[in-house]
């Protein structure tokens, strides 16, 4: 059993993870509209990952006999049809999520809630990986540009990465 305050903070994070899922779905739709199938598939795969994050927290609250509260999820802002801007927005979004996760860890530590602290470690590690991945994509898009052949190469590469994420998600679900 965890404290009501801790549960309420995790419920707020479930809401933010669901927002993240919609944020990525909106980016995927924007990429589809630009005929960028690989970019769209990558954002769609991220959408699936964010839902998994929300469900991990949902399951944790249930296992801890805490109340799950599903609230309204804010609509993502409109996205400009620019691949650089889409990845810049992604990086700044993920940095915000990292700060949210760190706040949750700080709170778990302040309550000496060891179970929640350990549970959150997975998310701390995940955020390092997510920021690094987006930083890497953004670095290359900035270097080579987001037009013409460079864009085609990045689109193809992201299609492959999305396939791998999809396969990993299938394995986790199995
Ligand atoms: Fe849930 O990790 Fe990204 O936002």
């Amino acid at each position: 059993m965890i404290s009501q305050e801790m549960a309420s903070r995790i419920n707020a994070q479930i809401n933010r993870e669901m927002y993240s899922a919609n944020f990525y779905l909106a980016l995927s739709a924007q990429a589809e509209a630009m005929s960028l199938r690989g970019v769209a598939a990558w954002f769609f795969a991220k959408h699936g990952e964010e839902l998994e994050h929300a469900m991990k927290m949902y399951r944790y609250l249930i296992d801890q006999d805490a109340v799950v509260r599903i609230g309204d999820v804010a609509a993502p802002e409109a996205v400009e049809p620019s691949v650089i801007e889409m990845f810049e927005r992604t990086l700044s979004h993920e940095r915000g999520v990292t700060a949210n996760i760190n706040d949750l860890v700080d709170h778990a530590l302040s309550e000496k809630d060891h179970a929640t602290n350990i549970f959150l470690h997975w998310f701390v590690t995940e955020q390092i990986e997510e920021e690094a991945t987006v930083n890497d994509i953004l670095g290359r898009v900035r270097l080579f540009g987001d037009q013409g052949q460079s864009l085609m190469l990045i689109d193809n590469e992201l299609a492959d990465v999305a396939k791998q994420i999809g396969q990993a998600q299938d394995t986790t679900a199995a």
Side-chain angles (χ1 to χ4, degrees):
M1 183 83 189
I2 62 175
S3 75
Q4 275 193 5
E5 175 61 25
M6 192 74 249
S8 145
R9 287 171 185 247
I10 294 176
N11 270 309
Q13 187 61 30
I14 290 176
N15 187 282
R16 287 192 285 264
E17 299 293 340
M18 291 171 93
Y19 171 82
S20 293
N22 287 346
F23 171 81
Y24 284 123
L25 193 57
L27 288 168
S28 181
Q30 176 62 68
E32 292 278 6
M34 296 159 75
S35 303
L36 293 170
R37 288 202 193 148
V39 176
W42 189 85
F43 280 123
F44 192 79
K46 299 300 292 177
H47 154 78
E49 281 192 345
E50 297 303 340
L51 287 179
E52 281 178 8
H53 298 172
M55 288 309 108
K56 259 186 208 288
M57 292 185 178
Y58 166 90
R59 177 48 55 190
Y60 179 70
L61 287 185
I62 292 195
D63 289 349
Q64 286 283 9
D65 201 18
V67 177
V68 173
R69 293 195 196 284
I70 304 297
D72 292 345
V73 180
E77 282 173 33
V79 193
E80 288 300 315
S82 146
V83 172
I84 288 191
E85 191 186 322
M86 287 155 86
F87 282 100
E88 277 170 350
R89 292 260 308 266
T90 297
L91 184 59
S92 115
H93 174 75
E94 286 303 336
R95 284 180 175 157
V97 174
T98 299
N100 296 144
I101 298 290
N102 288 343
D103 286 347
L104 283 174
V105 173
D106 284 347
H107 188 80
L109 290 173
S110 77
E111 283 194 12
K112 297 191 170 51
D113 178 347
H114 302 297
T116 303
N117 176 38
I118 290 168
F119 167 71
L120 289 170
H121 284 189
W122 184 90
F123 291 89
V124 172
T125 309
E126 176 73 1
Q127 283 309 122
I128 296 170
E129 192 210 302
E130 288 196 348
E131 280 193 36
T133 303
V134 179
N135 224 346
D136 180 60
I137 296 169
L138 186 56
R140 276 175 306 126
V141 175
R142 279 183 180 140
L143 184 64
F144 302 116
D146 68 349
Q147 306 291 324
Q149 278 199 345
S150 312
L151 181 55
M152 192 179 81
L153 289 174
I154 284 167
D155 193 49
N156 288 343
E157 184 185 319
L158 290 183
D160 289 343
V161 177
K163 237 179 248 162
Q164 285 161 19
I165 298 175
Q167 279 158 6
Q169 283 170 345
D170 290 348
T171 318
T172 325

